[in-house]
């Protein structure tokens, strides 16, 4: 079971929850981004002579990453590249093709557009794991021991900052930051009416991303800087084995309105 499109996003590109700071650009809406992303994918595909599947991200650590597959190229790219000029688009294709000079072009463009990259959490500021209703550190330890054999022990799990007080069309319930090795859950879930199995499932989902990202890095040994693994067949198979997964999804969809209100 999956949520209605455009309503509930768990580990998709996050939606801004407050007005951007002066000089910073708001994330593009899905409706605005899709045609621009499709055009960018077509342009890169034409330059490479290969099919390109493009996924936009808001990842502040890895702005461009890719994976070559038998059916083409899976490209992950920060939304700041959506309206990149032709020389930068050529550099994207060159980066995938192994052109050593392409990285400098991409870095220069990224630096010029740095206002579109969200700021990192202050170094050394720990995540808050103990909430009013759920202690995510305890949830993390139990799930790690049960499902991951200690492989995700070093991942930090905590509650995200409380967003501004307004009703949102979309809510980002949780996610895994591959660079910081962090899992953050939305504070709207730290409520008495939220079932424990829903919180367990969301933390498990994020830790599964962390586990597969770590496994992929060990196996491939490249320097493409990939972040969390996508929903591959292996991911889907392992997630399907989690008890009450479908019940968790049903609860999340049924309570979407109250979660959006915070």
């Amino acid at each position: 079971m999956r949520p209605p499109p455009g309503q509930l996003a768990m580990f998709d590109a996050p939606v801004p929850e407050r007005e951007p700071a002066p000089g910073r650009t708001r994330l593009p809406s899905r409706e605005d981004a899709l045609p621009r992303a499709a055009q960018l994918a077509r342009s890169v595909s034409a330059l490479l002579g290969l099919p390109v599947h493009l996924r936009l991200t808001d990842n502040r650590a890895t702005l461009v990453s890719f994976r070559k597959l038998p059916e083409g190229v899976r490209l992950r790219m920060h939304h700041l590249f959506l309206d990149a000029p032709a020389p930068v688009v050529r550099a994207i294709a060159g980066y995938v093709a192994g052109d050593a000079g392409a990285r400098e072009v991409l870095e220069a463009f990224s630096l010029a557009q740095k206002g579109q990259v969200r700021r990192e959490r202050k170094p050394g500021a720990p995540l808050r794991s103990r909430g009013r209703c759920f202690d995510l550190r305890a949830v993390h330890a139990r799930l790690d021991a049960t499902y991951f054999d200690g492989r995700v022990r070093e991942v930090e799990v905590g509650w995200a900052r409380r967003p501004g007080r307004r009703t949102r069309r979309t809510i980002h319930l949780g996610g895994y930051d591959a660079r910081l090795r962090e899992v953050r859950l939305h504070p709207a879930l730290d409520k008495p009416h939220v079932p424990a199995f829903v919180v367990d499932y969301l933390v498990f989902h994020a830790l599964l991303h962390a586990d597969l990202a770590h496994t992929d890095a060990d196996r491939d040994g490249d320097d493409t800087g990939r972040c969390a693994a996508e929903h591959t067949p292996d991911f889907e198979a392992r997630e399907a084995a989690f008890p009450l997964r479908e019940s968790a999804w049903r609860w999340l969809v049924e309570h979407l309105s109250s979660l959006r209100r915070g």
Side-chain angles (χ1 to χ4, degrees):
M1 181 178 180
R2 286 295 181 264
Q7 291 188 357
L8 183 148
M10 263 187 33
F11 297 90
D12 204 344
V15 173
E17 296 176 333
R18 62 189 66 195
E19 290 299 316
R24 300 183 68 79
T25 304
R26 179 185 294 277
L27 289 174
S29 68
R30 184 179 297 272
E31 294 78 9
D32 177 46
L34 282 177
R36 296 154 65 193
Q39 179 57 51
L40 179 58
R42 285 193 294 268
S43 298
V44 177
S45 177
L47 290 166
L48 290 172
L50 294 169
V52 171
H53 173 74
L54 174 63
R55 182 177 182 183
L56 294 178
T57 77
D58 189 41
N59 189 288
R60 61 186 174 232
T62 304
L63 301 183
V64 181
S65 64
F66 66 91
R67 178 179 296 180
K68 292 183 178 179
L69 302 170
E71 62 270 22
V73 176
R74 181 175 295 168
L75 183 61
R76 292 172 58 90
M77 184 177 302
H78 194 280
H79 62 85
L80 68 85
F81 289 97
L82 269 177
D83 298 313
V88 176
V89 175
R90 289 195 294 271
I92 294 169
Y95 181 67
V96 174
D99 180 359
R103 183 188 294 269
E104 293 184 6
V105 176
L106 298 181
E107 288 178 349
F109 181 76
S110 301
L111 183 61
Q113 304 294 321
K114 64 180 180 180
Q116 297 191 50
V117 181
R118 58 194 172 97
R119 296 185 180 92
E120 294 188 9
R121 187 168 52 86
K122 291 182 180 180
L127 285 176
R128 179 179 61 90
S129 62
R130 184 179 294 276
R132 291 187 299 171
C133 301
F134 296 100
D135 182 353
L136 295 183
R137 181 173 298 174
V139 173
H140 174 205
R142 173 166 46 79
L143 294 176
D144 182 34
T146 303
Y147 298 101
F148 300 99
D149 296 326
R151 291 189 303 273
V152 292
R153 184 182 299 111
E154 301 304 320
V155 175
E156 189 174 1
V157 180
W159 296 104
R161 291 185 304 170
R162 185 168 296 279
R165 298 290 299 179
R166 71 181 183 88
T167 301
R168 295 167 291 278
R169 293 180 55 197
T170 315
I171 183 169
H172 185 58
L173 293 178
Y176 169 60
D177 187 312
R179 183 184 181 190
L180 297 177
R181 295 275 286 170
E182 288 180 352
V183 170
R184 291 185 290 273
L185 259 60
H186 197 289
L189 295 159
D190 188 29
K191 299 290 179 62
H193 71 280
V194 178
F197 69 83
V198 171
V199 174
D200 280 4
Y201 167 67
L202 292 172
V203 175
F204 170 81
H205 185 112
L207 291 175
L208 185 52
H209 275 287
D211 188 39
L212 289 176
H214 178 71
T215 301
D216 283 349
D218 287 346
R219 181 175 65 241
D220 295 331
D222 62 22
D223 62 351
T224 57
R226 287 190 301 272
C227 53
E230 297 185 27
H231 294 177
T232 61
D234 186 23
F235 183 102
E236 295 283 359
R238 290 180 60 184
E239 187 193 43
F242 188 79
L244 299 178
R245 179 187 69 156
E246 300 302 326
S247 297
W249 268 115
R250 283 195 295 271
W251 189 94
L252 289 167
V253 172
E254 290 169 3
H255 293 80
L256 174 62
S257 296
S258 64
L259 290 172
R260 285 201 307 245
R261 288 194 298 270

